[in-house]
Amino acid sequence: MSSIEQVIGFSVVVFFTILVIVFSTKSIRNRFPASFRKIEAINRLKRAIGMAVEDGSCLHISLGSAQLTDPSNASALVGLSTLHRVGQLTSTSDLPPICTSGSGSLLILSQDALKRISVDTNTQAFYDPNHTSMAGATPFSYAVGTMESIVDRGVNGNVLIGNFGTEAGLLCETLDKARVSITGSDSITAQSIFYAATQDTLIGEELYALPAYLAANPTHQASLRVEDVFRVAIGSALIAGSVLKVLGIL
Amino acid sequence: MKSPLAMIVAVLTGLIVLLGYFIPNPVLSRIRTPLLDWAVILSGVAGLVAIIHLIFGVHWEKVKKQGMQQWFSLVVVVVFLVTLIAGLFLEPTNPGYQKVVTYIQTPIESSLLAILAITLSFSSLKLLQRQRNWMGIVFFVTVIIFLILNSGLLSFTDQIPILRDVLSGLQMIPTAGARGILLGVALGSLATGIRILIGSDRPYNN
């Protein structure tokens, strides 16, 4: 990485952080209330959460097989935020959500998330560390183990958020049996498989918007706004660059 | 229960690693390298914990229950123990040990890949049933067009100047689309990282 790239990268991170903090403040939130565009997949998930509470059915969240030391872990962290929020929303249900993952670090973090929810909502009696598991150590064994968990526990709603590869195709086979299944991944391969094989797929940045749509906390909504600001800026820069290139100026 | 110490350690560690990435400073580098090494070691230990949980927390519990699943889980537990003991005695680098493990694992994963190929073909056929909207139609038509383009059926167009340029331009469209999606993914990843760095998201804090 050249020194100019380092300066640009560092400036982007600092500017992004400042904007997230500014947009999280109460005064900005009150002055410019958030308005979300409709994402049908997320609306269906909200309905599934409501139904899970009413009929005591089980929701399943799968976090993919990214390692925390990989650059692809951000999507799994979004999955963890979603698990935390879904766990909070279903805390009045008889069955807490179950969670599967394909890496050890995600197993420990998901157990931690469910335990934290049980403490926050005073439902420690329902907490069971076996509600989370590492379904398999390799991508395919993870897919097969997750399929088994879905069938065994009579899951009624699935949320697959994280880093997946081609094994996503195997997982999709079992998703049809559930009332609702939301899928999203940072991998282009998995996104196209999910789009072809499931009904509700989150494409691109929609995946990262999920916690904000579930009203997790003000910072989620703020970061969504900052993403929009940056997207417009980057898009404009790309268009301007193309025009200048065509005109022979660049 | 929420520990401020855990948050302080996580935020400080994240900042040091991030600064070390952007600012080439020998002091930062000396702190950053062992921190990353510790993360890798902890990740390995977490993997070990997860495997023990999978065998003795999940499958051993299933062995105790009645039904067909009991026998599958028993096979998993026995095979795990045999592999573990053999690995401890022979060491994982032993060619005989590697051969046995590879010759069992590779055919199983290959057969899963074969099932996957059939599953995906079937899903493609059902695509328009699931996605009855204009995006679904665009996706389906695009798949067909690029299957034809990449199959080599149109290789004769290399000799026709205008058609060759048009098809070459068409081949750029998936790359442009993927870049658009990856741009959104990159911004989302950045936002997730920053939320953890400022202590707003705490996936670690019990």
Coordinates of all heavy atoms in Angstrom, one line a residue, chain B residues 7-97:
Chain B
M7 N -14.6 -4.0 27.3 CA -14.8 -3.0 26.2 C -13.5 -2.2 26.0 O -13.1 -2.0 24.8 CB -15.9 -2.1 26.5 CG -16.4 -1.3 25.3 SD -17.6 -0.1 25.7 CE -16.7 1.3 26.2
I8 N -12.9 -1.8 27.1 CA -11.7 -0.9 26.9 C -10.6 -1.7 26.2 O -9.9 -1.3 25.3 CB -11.2 -0.5 28.3 CG1 -12.2 0.5 28.9 CG2 -9.8 0.2 28.3 CD1 -12.1 0.8 30.4
V9 N -10.4 -3.0 26.7 CA -9.3 -3.8 26.1 C -9.6 -4.0 24.6 O -8.8 -3.9 23.7 CB -9.3 -5.2 26.8 CG1 -8.4 -6.2 26.0 CG2 -8.7 -5.1 28.2
A10 N -10.9 -4.3 24.2 CA -11.3 -4.6 22.8 C -11.1 -3.3 22.0 O -10.5 -3.4 20.9 CB -12.7 -5.0 22.7
V11 N -11.5 -2.2 22.5 CA -11.4 -0.9 21.7 C -9.9 -0.6 21.5 O -9.5 -0.2 20.4 CB -12.2 0.2 22.4 CG1 -11.9 1.5 21.7 CG2 -13.7 -0.1 22.3
L12 N -9.2 -0.6 22.6 CA -7.7 -0.3 22.5 C -7.0 -1.2 21.5 O -6.2 -0.8 20.7 CB -7.1 -0.4 23.9 CG -7.2 0.9 24.8 CD1 -6.5 0.7 26.1 CD2 -6.5 2.1 24.0
T13 N -7.3 -2.5 21.7 CA -6.6 -3.5 20.8 C -7.0 -3.2 19.3 O -6.1 -3.2 18.4 CB -7.1 -4.9 21.1 OG1 -6.9 -5.1 22.5 CG2 -6.3 -6.0 20.4
G14 N -8.3 -2.9 19.1 CA -8.7 -2.6 17.7 C -8.0 -1.4 17.2 O -7.6 -1.4 16.0
L15 N -7.9 -0.4 18.0 CA -7.3 0.9 17.5 C -5.8 0.7 17.2 O -5.3 1.2 16.2 CB -7.4 2.0 18.6 CG -8.8 2.7 18.7 CD1 -8.9 3.6 19.9 CD2 -9.1 3.4 17.4
I16 N -5.1 -0.1 18.1 CA -3.7 -0.3 17.8 C -3.5 -1.1 16.5 O -2.6 -0.7 15.7 CB -3.1 -1.1 19.0 CG1 -3.0 -0.2 20.3 CG2 -1.7 -1.6 18.7 CD1 -2.7 -0.9 21.6
V17 N -4.3 -2.1 16.3 CA -4.2 -2.9 15.1 C -4.5 -2.1 13.9 O -3.8 -2.1 12.9 CB -5.1 -4.2 15.1 CG1 -5.1 -4.9 13.8 CG2 -4.6 -5.1 16.2
L18 N -5.5 -1.2 14.0 CA -5.9 -0.4 12.8 C -4.9 0.7 12.5 O -4.5 0.9 11.4 CB -7.3 0.3 13.2 CG -7.9 1.1 12.0 CD1 -8.4 0.2 10.9 CD2 -9.0 2.0 12.5
L19 N -4.4 1.3 13.6 CA -3.3 2.4 13.4 C -2.1 1.7 12.8 O -1.4 2.3 12.0 CB -3.0 3.1 14.7 CG -4.1 4.0 15.2 CD1 -3.7 4.6 16.6 CD2 -4.3 5.2 14.2
G20 N -1.7 0.5 13.3 CA -0.5 -0.2 12.8 C -0.7 -0.5 11.3 O 0.3 -0.6 10.6
Y21 N -1.9 -0.7 10.9 CA -2.1 -1.0 9.4 C -1.9 0.3 8.6 O -1.3 0.2 7.5 CB -3.6 -1.5 9.3 CG -3.9 -1.9 7.9 CD1 -3.4 -3.1 7.4 CD2 -4.8 -1.2 7.1 CE1 -3.8 -3.5 6.1 CE2 -5.1 -1.6 5.8 CZ -4.6 -2.8 5.3 OH -4.9 -3.2 4.1
F22 N -2.3 1.4 9.1 CA -2.2 2.7 8.3 C -0.9 3.4 8.5 O -0.4 4.1 7.6 CB -3.4 3.6 8.6 CG -4.7 3.1 8.0 CD1 -5.8 2.9 8.8 CD2 -4.8 3.0 6.6 CE1 -7.0 2.4 8.3 CE2 -6.0 2.5 6.1 CZ -7.1 2.2 6.9
I23 N -0.4 3.4 9.7 CA 0.8 4.2 10.0 C 2.0 3.2 10.2 O 2.1 2.4 11.1 CB 0.6 5.0 11.3 CG1 -0.6 5.9 11.2 CG2 1.8 5.8 11.7 CD1 -1.2 6.5 12.4
P24 N 3.0 3.3 9.3 CA 4.1 2.4 9.3 C 5.1 2.8 10.4 O 6.0 3.6 10.2 CB 4.7 2.5 7.9 CG 4.2 3.7 7.3 CD 3.0 4.2 8.1
N25 N 4.8 2.4 11.7 CA 5.7 2.9 12.8 C 6.2 1.6 13.5 O 5.5 0.7 13.8 CB 4.8 3.7 13.7 CG 5.5 4.2 14.9 OD1 6.2 3.4 15.6 ND2 5.4 5.5 15.2
P26 N 7.5 1.5 13.7 CA 8.1 0.3 14.3 C 7.6 0.0 15.7 O 7.4 -1.2 16.0 CB 9.6 0.6 14.3 CG 9.8 2.0 14.1 CD 8.6 2.5 13.4
V27 N 7.2 1.0 16.5 CA 6.7 0.7 17.8 C 5.3 0.1 17.7 O 5.0 -0.9 18.4 CB 6.6 2.0 18.6 CG1 6.1 1.8 20.0 CG2 8.0 2.7 18.7
L28 N 4.5 0.7 16.8 CA 3.1 0.1 16.6 C 3.2 -1.3 16.1 O 2.5 -2.2 16.5 CB 2.4 1.0 15.6 CG 1.6 2.2 16.2 CD1 0.9 3.0 15.1 CD2 0.5 1.7 17.2
S29 N 4.2 -1.5 15.2 CA 4.3 -2.8 14.6 C 4.7 -3.9 15.6 O 4.2 -5.0 15.6 CB 5.4 -2.7 13.5 OG 5.6 -4.0 13.0
R30 N 5.6 -3.4 16.6 CA 6.0 -4.4 17.6 C 4.9 -4.8 18.5 O 4.9 -5.9 19.1 CB 7.2 -3.7 18.4 CG 8.6 -4.1 17.9 CD 9.6 -4.0 18.9 NE 9.8 -2.6 19.4 CZ 10.6 -1.7 18.8 NH1 11.3 -2.1 17.7 NH2 10.8 -0.5 19.2
I31 N 3.9 -3.9 18.7 CA 2.8 -4.2 19.6 C 1.7 -5.0 18.8 O 1.1 -5.9 19.2 CB 2.1 -2.9 20.1 CG1 3.1 -2.0 20.9 CG2 1.0 -3.2 21.1 CD1 2.7 -0.7 21.2
R32 N 1.6 -4.6 17.5 CA 0.5 -5.1 16.6 C 0.7 -6.6 16.3 O -0.2 -7.4 16.4 CB 0.4 -4.3 15.4 CG -0.6 -4.7 14.4 CD -0.6 -3.8 13.2 NE -1.5 -4.3 12.2 CZ -1.1 -4.6 11.0 NH1 0.2 -4.5 10.6 NH2 -1.9 -5.0 10.1
T33 N 2.0 -7.0 16.0 CA 2.3 -8.3 15.6 C 1.9 -9.4 16.7 O 1.2 -10.3 16.4 CB 3.7 -8.5 15.1 OG1 4.0 -7.4 14.2 CG2 4.0 -9.8 14.5
P34 N 2.4 -9.2 17.9 CA 2.0 -10.2 18.9 C 0.5 -10.2 19.2 O -0.1 -11.3 19.5 CB 2.8 -9.8 20.2 CG 3.4 -8.5 19.9 CD 3.4 -8.2 18.5
L35 N -0.2 -9.0 19.1 CA -1.6 -9.0 19.3 C -2.3 -9.9 18.3 O -3.2 -10.7 18.6 CB -2.2 -7.6 19.2 CG -2.0 -6.7 20.4 CD1 -2.4 -5.2 20.1 CD2 -2.7 -7.2 21.6
L36 N -1.9 -9.8 17.0 CA -2.5 -10.6 15.9 C -2.2 -12.1 16.1 O -3.0 -12.9 15.9 CB -2.0 -10.1 14.6 CG -2.5 -8.8 14.1 CD1 -1.9 -8.3 12.8 CD2 -4.1 -8.8 13.9
D37 N -0.9 -12.3 16.6 CA -0.5 -13.7 16.9 C -1.4 -14.3 18.0 O -1.9 -15.5 17.9 CB 0.9 -13.8 17.3 CG 1.9 -13.6 16.2 OD1 1.4 -13.6 15.0 OD2 3.1 -13.3 16.4
W38 N -1.7 -13.5 19.0 CA -2.6 -14.0 20.1 C -4.0 -14.3 19.6 O -4.6 -15.3 20.0 CB -2.7 -13.0 21.2 CG -1.4 -12.7 22.0 CD1 -0.3 -13.5 22.0 CD2 -1.1 -11.7 22.9 NE1 0.7 -13.0 22.8 CE2 0.2 -11.9 23.4 CE3 -1.8 -10.6 23.3 CZ2 0.8 -11.0 24.3 CZ3 -1.2 -9.7 24.3 CH2 0.1 -9.9 24.7
A39 N -4.4 -13.4 18.7 CA -5.8 -13.6 18.1 C -5.9 -14.9 17.4 O -6.8 -15.7 17.5 CB -6.1 -12.5 17.2
V40 N -4.8 -15.3 16.6 CA -4.8 -16.5 15.9 C -4.8 -17.7 16.8 O -5.5 -18.7 16.6 CB -3.5 -16.6 14.9 CG1 -3.4 -17.9 14.3 CG2 -3.7 -15.5 13.8
I41 N -3.9 -17.6 17.9 CA -3.9 -18.7 18.9 C -5.3 -18.9 19.6 O -5.8 -20.0 19.7 CB -2.8 -18.4 20.0 CG1 -1.4 -18.5 19.3 CG2 -2.8 -19.4 21.1 CD1 -0.3 -17.9 20.1
L42 N -5.9 -17.8 19.9 CA -7.2 -17.8 20.6 C -8.2 -18.4 19.7 O -9.1 -19.2 20.1 CB -7.6 -16.4 21.0 CG -7.0 -15.9 22.3 CD1 -7.4 -14.5 22.6 CD2 -7.4 -16.8 23.5
S43 N -8.1 -18.1 18.4 CA -9.0 -18.6 17.4 C -8.9 -20.2 17.3 O -9.9 -20.9 17.2 CB -8.8 -18.0 16.1 OG -9.6 -18.5 15.1
G44 N -7.6 -20.6 17.4 CA -7.4 -22.1 17.3 C -7.9 -22.8 18.6 O -8.6 -23.8 18.4
V45 N -7.7 -22.1 19.7 CA -8.3 -22.7 21.0 C -9.8 -22.8 20.9 O -10.4 -23.8 21.3 CB -7.8 -21.9 22.2 CG1 -8.5 -22.4 23.5 CG2 -6.3 -22.0 22.3
A46 N -10.4 -21.7 20.4 CA -11.9 -21.7 20.2 C -12.4 -22.8 19.3 O -13.4 -23.4 19.6 CB -12.3 -20.3 19.7
G47 N -11.6 -23.1 18.3 CA -11.9 -24.2 17.4 C -11.9 -25.5 18.1 O -12.8 -26.3 18.0
L48 N -10.9 -25.7 19.0 CA -10.8 -26.9 19.8 C -12.0 -27.0 20.7 O -12.6 -28.1 20.9 CB -9.5 -26.9 20.6 CG -9.0 -28.2 21.1 CD1 -8.6 -29.1 20.0 CD2 -7.7 -27.9 22.0
V49 N -12.3 -25.9 21.4 CA -13.5 -25.9 22.3 C -14.8 -26.3 21.6 O -15.6 -27.1 22.1 CB -13.6 -24.5 23.0 CG1 -14.9 -24.4 23.7 CG2 -12.5 -24.2 23.9
A50 N -14.9 -25.7 20.4 CA -16.1 -25.9 19.6 C -16.2 -27.4 19.2 O -17.3 -28.0 19.2 CB -16.1 -25.0 18.3
I51 N -15.1 -28.0 18.8 CA -15.1 -29.4 18.4 C -15.5 -30.3 19.6 O -16.4 -31.2 19.5 CB -13.8 -29.9 17.8 CG1 -13.7 -29.2 16.4 CG2 -13.7 -31.4 17.6 CD1 -12.3 -29.3 15.7
I52 N -14.9 -30.0 20.8 CA -15.3 -30.8 22.0 C -16.8 -30.6 22.3 O -17.5 -31.6 22.6 CB -14.4 -30.3 23.2 CG1 -13.0 -30.7 22.9 CG2 -14.9 -30.9 24.5 CD1 -11.9 -30.1 23.8
H53 N -17.3 -29.4 22.1 CA -18.7 -29.1 22.4 C -19.6 -29.9 21.4 O -20.6 -30.5 21.7 CB -19.0 -27.6 22.3 CG -20.4 -27.3 22.4 ND1 -21.2 -27.0 21.3 CD2 -21.2 -27.2 23.5 CE1 -22.5 -26.7 21.8 NE2 -22.5 -26.9 23.1
L54 N -19.1 -29.9 20.1 CA -19.9 -30.6 19.0 C -20.0 -32.1 19.3 O -21.0 -32.7 19.2 CB -19.2 -30.4 17.7 CG -19.8 -31.1 16.5 CD1 -21.2 -30.5 16.1 CD2 -18.9 -31.0 15.3
I55 N -18.9 -32.7 19.8 CA -18.8 -34.1 20.0 C -19.5 -34.5 21.3 O -20.4 -35.3 21.4 CB -17.4 -34.7 20.0 CG1 -16.7 -34.4 18.7 CG2 -17.3 -36.2 20.4 CD1 -17.3 -35.1 17.5
F56 N -19.1 -33.8 22.4 CA -19.6 -34.3 23.7 C -20.9 -33.5 24.2 O -21.6 -33.9 25.1 CB -18.5 -34.2 24.8 CG -17.4 -35.1 24.5 CD1 -16.2 -34.6 24.0 CD2 -17.5 -36.5 24.6 CE1 -15.1 -35.4 23.6 CE2 -16.5 -37.3 24.2 CZ -15.3 -36.8 23.7
G57 N -21.1 -32.3 23.6 CA -22.3 -31.5 24.0 C -23.5 -31.9 23.1 O -24.6 -32.0 23.5
V58 N -23.2 -32.0 21.8 CA -24.3 -32.2 20.8 C -24.5 -33.7 20.5 O -25.6 -34.3 20.8 CB -24.1 -31.4 19.5 CG1 -25.2 -31.6 18.5 CG2 -23.9 -29.9 19.8
H59 N -23.4 -34.3 20.0 CA -23.6 -35.7 19.5 C -23.7 -36.7 20.7 O -24.5 -37.7 20.6 CB -22.5 -36.1 18.6 CG -22.6 -35.5 17.2 ND1 -23.6 -35.9 16.3 CD2 -22.0 -34.5 16.6 CE1 -23.5 -35.1 15.2 NE2 -22.6 -34.2 15.4
W60 N -23.0 -36.5 21.8 CA -23.1 -37.4 22.9 C -24.5 -37.4 23.5 O -25.1 -38.4 23.9 CB -22.0 -37.1 23.9 CG -22.0 -38.1 25.0 CD1 -22.3 -38.0 26.3 CD2 -21.6 -39.5 24.9 NE1 -22.1 -39.2 27.0 CE2 -21.7 -40.1 26.1 CE3 -21.2 -40.3 23.8 CZ2 -21.4 -41.5 26.4 CZ3 -20.9 -41.6 24.0 CH2 -21.0 -42.2 25.3
E61 N -25.1 -36.2 23.5 CA -26.5 -36.0 24.0 C -27.5 -36.8 23.1 O -28.4 -37.4 23.6 CB -26.9 -34.5 24.0 CG -26.2 -33.7 25.2 CD -26.5 -34.3 26.5 OE1 -27.7 -34.6 26.8 OE2 -25.6 -34.4 27.3
K62 N -27.2 -36.8 21.8 CA -28.1 -37.5 20.8 C -27.9 -39.0 21.0 O -28.9 -39.7 20.8 CB -27.7 -37.1 19.4 CG -28.3 -35.7 19.0 CD -28.0 -35.5 17.6 CE -28.4 -34.0 17.2 NZ -28.0 -33.7 15.9
V63 N -26.7 -39.4 21.3 CA -26.5 -40.9 21.5 C -27.3 -41.4 22.7 O -27.9 -42.5 22.6 CB -24.9 -41.1 21.8 CG1 -24.7 -42.6 22.3 CG2 -24.1 -40.9 20.6
K64 N -27.5 -40.6 23.7 CA -28.3 -41.0 24.8 C -29.8 -41.1 24.5 O -30.6 -41.7 25.3 CB -28.1 -40.0 26.0 CG -26.7 -40.1 26.6 CD -26.7 -39.3 27.9 CE -25.5 -38.4 27.9 NZ -25.6 -37.4 29.0
K65 N -30.3 -40.4 23.4 CA -31.7 -40.4 23.1 C -32.0 -41.6 22.2 O -31.1 -42.2 21.5 CB -32.1 -39.1 22.3 CG -32.1 -37.9 23.2 CD -32.4 -36.7 22.4 CE -32.2 -35.4 23.2 NZ -32.2 -34.2 22.4
Q66 N -33.3 -42.0 22.1 CA -33.7 -43.1 21.3 C -33.9 -42.6 19.9 O -34.2 -41.5 19.6 CB -35.0 -43.7 21.8 CG -34.9 -44.4 23.1 CD -34.1 -45.7 23.1 OE1 -34.3 -46.5 22.1 NE2 -33.2 -45.9 24.0
G67 N -33.8 -43.5 18.9 CA -34.1 -43.2 17.5 C -32.9 -43.4 16.6 O -31.8 -43.7 17.0
M68 N -33.2 -43.2 15.3 CA -32.2 -43.4 14.3 C -31.0 -42.5 14.4 O -29.8 -42.9 14.2 CB -32.9 -43.2 12.9 CG -32.1 -43.7 11.7 SD -31.9 -45.5 11.9 CE -30.6 -45.7 10.6
Q69 N -31.3 -41.2 14.8 CA -30.2 -40.2 15.0 C -29.1 -40.7 15.9 O -27.9 -40.4 15.8 CB -30.8 -38.9 15.5 CG -31.5 -38.1 14.5 CD -30.7 -37.6 13.4 OE1 -29.5 -37.3 13.6 NE2 -31.2 -37.5 12.2
Q70 N -29.5 -41.5 16.9 CA -28.6 -42.1 18.0 C -27.4 -42.8 17.3 O -26.3 -42.6 17.7 CB -29.5 -43.0 18.8 CG -28.8 -43.7 19.9 CD -29.7 -44.7 20.6 OE1 -30.6 -45.3 19.9 NE2 -29.5 -44.9 21.9
W71 N -27.7 -43.6 16.3 CA -26.7 -44.4 15.6 C -25.8 -43.5 14.8 O -24.5 -43.8 14.8 CB -27.3 -45.5 14.8 CG -28.2 -46.4 15.7 CD1 -29.6 -46.4 15.7 CD2 -27.7 -47.2 16.7 NE1 -30.0 -47.3 16.7 CE2 -28.9 -47.8 17.3 CE3 -26.5 -47.6 17.2 CZ2 -28.8 -48.7 18.4 CZ3 -26.4 -48.5 18.3 CH2 -27.6 -49.0 18.8
F72 N -26.3 -42.5 14.1 CA -25.5 -41.6 13.3 C -24.5 -40.9 14.3 O -23.3 -40.7 14.0 CB -26.3 -40.6 12.6 CG -27.1 -41.2 11.4 CD1 -28.5 -40.8 11.3 CD2 -26.6 -42.1 10.6 CE1 -29.2 -41.4 10.2 CE2 -27.3 -42.6 9.5 CZ -28.6 -42.3 9.4
S73 N -25.0 -40.4 15.4 CA -24.2 -39.7 16.3 C -23.2 -40.6 17.0 O -22.0 -40.1 17.2 CB -25.1 -39.0 17.4 OG -25.8 -38.0 16.8
L74 N -23.5 -41.8 17.2 CA -22.6 -42.8 17.8 C -21.4 -43.0 16.8 O -20.2 -43.0 17.2 CB -23.2 -44.1 18.0 CG -22.4 -45.1 18.8 CD1 -22.1 -44.6 20.2 CD2 -23.1 -46.5 18.9
V75 N -21.7 -43.1 15.5 CA -20.7 -43.2 14.5 C -19.7 -42.0 14.5 O -18.5 -42.1 14.5 CB -21.3 -43.4 13.1 CG1 -20.2 -43.3 12.0 CG2 -22.0 -44.7 13.0
V76 N -20.3 -40.8 14.6 CA -19.5 -39.5 14.7 C -18.6 -39.6 15.9 O -17.4 -39.3 15.7 CB -20.5 -38.3 14.7 CG1 -19.6 -37.0 14.9 CG2 -21.3 -38.2 13.5
V77 N -19.1 -39.9 17.0 CA -18.3 -39.9 18.3 C -17.2 -40.9 18.2 O -16.0 -40.6 18.4 CB -19.2 -40.2 19.5 CG1 -18.3 -40.3 20.8 CG2 -20.2 -39.1 19.7
V78 N -17.5 -42.2 17.7 CA -16.5 -43.2 17.6 C -15.4 -42.9 16.6 O -14.2 -43.0 16.9 CB -17.2 -44.6 17.2 CG1 -16.1 -45.6 16.9 CG2 -18.0 -45.1 18.4
V79 N -15.8 -42.4 15.4 CA -14.9 -42.0 14.4 C -14.0 -40.9 14.8 O -12.8 -40.9 14.6 CB -15.6 -41.7 13.1 CG1 -14.6 -41.1 12.0 CG2 -16.2 -42.9 12.5
F80 N -14.6 -39.9 15.6 CA -13.8 -38.8 16.1 C -12.7 -39.3 17.0 O -11.5 -38.9 16.9 CB -14.7 -37.8 16.8 CG -13.9 -36.8 17.6 CD1 -13.3 -35.7 17.0 CD2 -13.8 -36.9 19.0 CE1 -12.6 -34.7 17.7 CE2 -13.1 -35.9 19.7 CZ -12.5 -34.9 19.0
L81 N -13.1 -40.2 18.0 CA -12.2 -40.7 18.9 C -11.0 -41.5 18.3 O -9.9 -41.4 18.6 CB -12.9 -41.5 20.0 CG -13.8 -40.7 21.0 CD1 -14.6 -41.6 21.9 CD2 -13.0 -39.7 21.8
V82 N -11.4 -42.3 17.3 CA -10.4 -43.1 16.6 C -9.4 -42.2 15.8 O -8.2 -42.4 15.9 CB -11.1 -44.1 15.5 CG1 -10.1 -44.7 14.6 CG2 -11.9 -45.2 16.3
T83 N -10.0 -41.2 15.1 CA -9.1 -40.3 14.4 C -8.2 -39.5 15.4 O -7.0 -39.3 15.1 CB -10.0 -39.2 13.6 OG1 -11.0 -39.9 12.9 CG2 -9.2 -38.5 12.6
L84 N -8.8 -39.1 16.5 CA -8.0 -38.3 17.5 C -6.8 -39.2 18.1 O -5.7 -38.8 18.1 CB -8.9 -37.9 18.6 CG -8.2 -37.1 19.8 CD1 -7.9 -35.7 19.3 CD2 -9.1 -37.0 21.0
I85 N -7.2 -40.4 18.5 CA -6.2 -41.3 19.1 C -5.1 -41.7 18.0 O -3.9 -41.6 18.3 CB -6.8 -42.6 19.7 CG1 -7.7 -42.1 20.9 CG2 -5.8 -43.6 20.1 CD1 -8.7 -43.2 21.3
A86 N -5.5 -42.0 16.8 CA -4.6 -42.3 15.8 C -3.7 -41.1 15.5 O -2.5 -41.3 15.3 CB -5.3 -42.7 14.5
G87 N -4.3 -39.9 15.5 CA -3.5 -38.7 15.2 C -2.5 -38.4 16.3 O -1.3 -38.0 16.0
L88 N -2.8 -38.7 17.6 CA -1.9 -38.5 18.7 C -0.8 -39.5 18.7 O 0.4 -39.1 18.9 CB -2.7 -38.6 20.0 CG -3.7 -37.5 20.4 CD1 -4.4 -37.8 21.6 CD2 -2.9 -36.2 20.5
F89 N -1.1 -40.7 18.3 CA 0.0 -41.7 18.3 C 0.9 -41.6 17.0 O 2.1 -41.7 17.1 CB -0.6 -43.1 18.4 CG -0.9 -43.5 19.8 CD1 -2.2 -43.5 20.3 CD2 0.1 -43.9 20.7 CE1 -2.5 -43.8 21.6 CE2 -0.2 -44.2 22.0 CZ -1.5 -44.1 22.5
L90 N 0.3 -41.4 15.9 CA 1.0 -41.4 14.6 C 1.5 -40.1 14.2 O 2.4 -39.9 13.4 CB 0.1 -42.0 13.5 CG -0.4 -43.4 13.6 CD1 -1.4 -43.8 12.5 CD2 0.8 -44.4 13.6
E91 N 0.9 -39.0 14.8 CA 1.2 -37.6 14.4 C 0.5 -37.3 13.1 O 0.5 -38.1 12.2 CB 2.7 -37.3 14.4 CG 3.3 -37.3 15.7 CD 4.7 -36.8 15.7 OE1 5.3 -36.4 14.7 OE2 5.3 -36.8 16.8
P92 N -0.1 -36.1 13.0 CA -0.9 -35.7 11.8 C -0.1 -35.7 10.5 O -0.6 -35.9 9.4 CB -1.3 -34.3 12.1 CG -1.3 -34.2 13.6 CD -0.2 -35.0 14.0
T93 N 1.3 -35.6 10.6 CA 2.1 -35.6 9.3 C 2.4 -37.0 8.8 O 2.9 -37.1 7.7 CB 3.4 -34.9 9.6 OG1 4.0 -35.4 10.8 CG2 3.2 -33.4 9.7
N94 N 2.0 -38.0 9.5 CA 2.3 -39.4 9.1 C 1.5 -39.7 7.8 O 0.3 -39.5 7.7 CB 1.8 -40.4 10.2 CG 2.0 -41.8 9.8 OD1 1.4 -42.3 8.9 ND2 2.9 -42.4 10.6
P95 N 2.3 -40.1 6.7 CA 1.7 -40.3 5.4 C 0.5 -41.3 5.4 O -0.5 -41.1 4.7 CB 2.8 -40.8 4.5 CG 4.0 -40.7 5.3 CD 3.7 -40.5 6.7
G96 N 0.6 -42.4 6.2 CA -0.4 -43.4 6.2 C -1.7 -42.8 6.9 O -2.8 -43.0 6.3
Y97 N -1.5 -42.0 7.9 CA -2.6 -41.4 8.6 C -3.3 -40.4 7.7 O -4.5 -40.4 7.5 CB -2.1 -40.7 9.9 CG -3.1 -39.9 10.6 CD1 -4.1 -40.5 11.4 CD2 -3.1 -38.5 10.5 CE1 -5.0 -39.7 12.1 CE2 -4.1 -37.7 11.2 CZ -5.0 -38.3 12.0 OH -5.9 -37.6 12.7

